[in-house]
Amino acid sequence: MSAEILSFETGRPAELAADDEPSLVVDVEGYEGPLDLLLALARQQKVDLHKISILALADQYLVFIEAARKIRLELAADYLVMAAWLAYLKSRLLLPEPATPDGPSAEEMATALANRLRRLEAIREAANRLMNRPQLQRDIFPRGDPESIAEIKHPKFTATLFDLLTAYAAQRQQRVLATVHLARRTVWSLSEARASLERLVGMAEDWSRLDEYLLNYVVDPSQKATVFASSFAAALELVREGEVELHQKEAFAPLYFRKRPPQASDAITAPDLPVE
Amino acid sequence: MASLAEKRVVDAEEPSVDPQARPEELRLLEALLFASTEPLDQAALAKKMPDGVDIKVALAQLQADYASRGVNLVRVANKWTFRTAGDLAWLMTRESTETRRLSRAAIEMLAIIAYHQPVTRAEIEDIRGVITSKGTLDVLLETGWIRPRGRRKTPGRPLTFGTTEAFLSQFSLEALGDLPGLEELKGTGLLDSRLPGGFSVPTPSDDPTLREDEDPLEIGDLELALAPAVEPETGEGS
Amino acid sequence: MASLAEKRVVDAEEPSVDPQARPEELRLLEALLFASTEPLDQAALAKKMPDGVDIKVALAQLQADYASRGVNLVRVANKWTFRTAGDLAWLMTRESTETRRLSRAAIEMLAIIAYHQPVTRAEIEDIRGVITSKGTLDVLLETGWIRPRGRRKTPGRPLTFGTTEAFLSQFSLEALGDLPGLEELKGTGLLDSRLPGGFSVPTPSDDPTLREDEDPLEIGDLELALAPAVEPETGEGS
């Protein structure tokens, strides 16, 4: 096989090196990496990739890289890596295989490279065919004005018996507890108290206990406070007007009252105190 | 199946094609009208046709071609377009179910209807102590769990509501009487055991027989109350 | 569905209608497929058909009906849709739609993803012999034709890519097996694992089921990879 490669190889590098091949020398930018460049070079061998001479291809590549460097084209590192690898492969292909090869043989390496090129070429061919298919919105079109589909939503309601019972119990109960019968507050007004006291004063010629009177008067214990407060206030009023006299022995002791006697003014200093 | 479009081209090239094939301009019109995002007028279509095509004749023929199909060629405001055949409008709907949780207000209302039926809206409001929104009642009617069953013989003749069979099946009740009563509610702790003596829970009944204080529904009452829950399949009927 | 049967009877009674009239299901299919924005699968169509209709037969007949027309019934990604006939591309130049022009690198990458999927970026780069720019991948993701589908169970857990339904739709492919030249490619063994670069996938598959050597995507992966807005025009054919 190597003999065949060698014979095939002759002449090609010279041809490539010629300056009248501008596409090779200048247009590095046009290639998508070293593999792409190799494939382009391989195509120039004008043979099926199955029969490609990797040795010739390596030479072509190396010549190309040399040419590019001569005109000081900046080459990406991977182009140079590929060049180095191809130079190595070339030397391996030209030398007889060592007796105990470590790693792949030169032939295997060459075949692998050829396969990579074939694979790239195949996928490009496939890409081509794919892109040439009639494409949506370029060659073929869907309905331009599709009719709207009305969406009808059927609601499915969820609720459990527990929800239902809880809701029912809670709100019935809440209603019952919330219905506070605000009993009309019975307040003994000042005028009521005064009217009562005035009536009472007529009866009480002697000292009488105000609270005794109150206790007699009040039926409902809850009304005690309001009656007491109003009567006291009314009593003070009557004292101020001179109708009534009030007496208390000490703080919180029982309050006594009586109708003011006609000449009460002198009696104030020494009142005849009621007997306990 | 490699390529449908390729297939088509191949087909067209095969000699088997009927010599009596439709005129090419009908194919062109079809494709143009189909792909257009809006109706096209005669002039716009004519511009794309090969010379010598009588566009009027072609459109008339195309219209006839599609007259009995599921899609018709129609003229809207002097422009042409394909439209779904009128009698198939019902097809153009998509149905879906969405799960919805009832609002608290709706559940409360439902519970009161269940226990206190037949009950009017005003009575429900009285029990709840809150004005109910029309929306809540509508939602409940939509569930199909309640129904208006009559009209109360009181001024204003308000609708009375009761529960339906769907209600029983939703809550897995064999009969309405299976709803727990006062003692059971107390037993489960749902009701406070210290409730005042006058407190009672009615014995619910969904007996459809109208009560003495109920009048039957009138024509139109049902429609009114059930308006939102129309099923599309029954709706398209004809 | 009662209405359908009724319709048919009425139609049949009309004297003008051809006694050899097309089956009603063809009208229904026509209407549904014309109206839909998206290709519809057989199951979705069958749901709308009257009972007893052999949907396969009906679709086949409809496809035959339209084969010679300007609008064809095609099957993409195992779903059915009407599309303008491929040979009328010349007619359909639409000023508004600007066809997306993919770079050579993007086209190659798309082809590699289509034929080798699921495939990682490193594997794509191995085939092309060159590092791909992030931009190229972004452009492809933007088309909506490819998607990240999982992560390869190898060190670094790289994303694996595959094609989408929109890809099939874009290129009028019924299934991935209809990729042009796929059989030849398989025949050459170039999709085979014995190649350097370690392809372990002899047949491309867009089956969303992950391979043994794939892990599912994690939360955030999709967002990351699909961040660029998908243009509606390049999508499903809207």
Side-chain angles (χ1 to χ4, degrees), chain B residues 35-224:
Chain B
S36 174
T37 51
E38 52 195 5
L40 295 171
D41 64 21
Q42 204 168 292
L45 290 166
K47 247 194 288 179
K48 300 265 195 170
M49 291 298 112
D51 292 340
V53 167
D54 185 332
I55 186 85
K56 270 193 185 175
V57 171
L59 282 167
Q61 189 175 340
L62 199 62
Q63 193 167 30
D65 272 11
Y66 280 88
S68 63
R69 297 192 165 233
V71 171
N72 303 150
L73 182 59
V74 298
R75 202 165 165 180
V76 183
N78 247 333
K79 292 181 176 182
W80 296 87
T81 186
F82 279 117
R83 279 281 168 264
T84 306
D87 64 314
L88 299 184
W90 61 270
L91 262 182
M92 301 298 121
T93 55
R94 185 173 21 219
E95 290 167 35
S96 59
T97 15
E98 50 171 10
T99 308
R100 272 161 63 180
R101 274 192 77 82
L102 281 182
S103 68
R104 215 189 117 170
I107 289 183
E108 286 179 4
M109 199 167 169
L110 177 64
I112 289 172
I113 292 173
Y115 275 94
H116 296 259
Q117 62 187 298
V119 64
T120 68
R121 189 164 153 187
E123 289 160 359
I124 296 167
E125 286 171 357
D126 192 54
I127 296 171
R128 294 190 62 216
V130 199
I131 301 290
T132 353
S133 75
K134 177 81 170 70
T136 310
L137 186 62
D138 286 346
V139 167
L140 276 184
L141 285 166
E142 221 183 311
T143 62
W145 299 339
I146 66 160
R147 65 185 181 95
R149 40 169 285 149
R151 283 183 177 279
R152 180 67 44 82
K153 287 178 185 165
T154 54
R157 306 188 61 252
L159 284 173
T160 52
F161 293 92
T163 54
T164 61
E165 279 189 18
F167 171 85
L168 296 179
S169 81
Q170 167 69 27
F171 296 100
S172 307
L173 295 167
E174 213 166 287
L176 204 68
D178 290 349
L179 277 176
L182 177 64
E183 289 313 314
E184 287 160 296
L185 287 173
K186 279 185 178 172
T188 51
L190 287 171
L191 277 181
D192 197 318
S193 50
R194 292 163 304 166
L195 281 165
F199 187 89
S200 70
V201 166
T203 309
S205 156
D206 54 0
D207 183 353
T209 316
L210 294 179
R211 305 277 169 100
E212 269 185 23
D213 61 352
E214 276 180 303
D215 275 339
L217 288 177
E218 286 144 29
I219 294 161
D221 280 353
L222 272 169
E223 245 171 61
L224 192 88

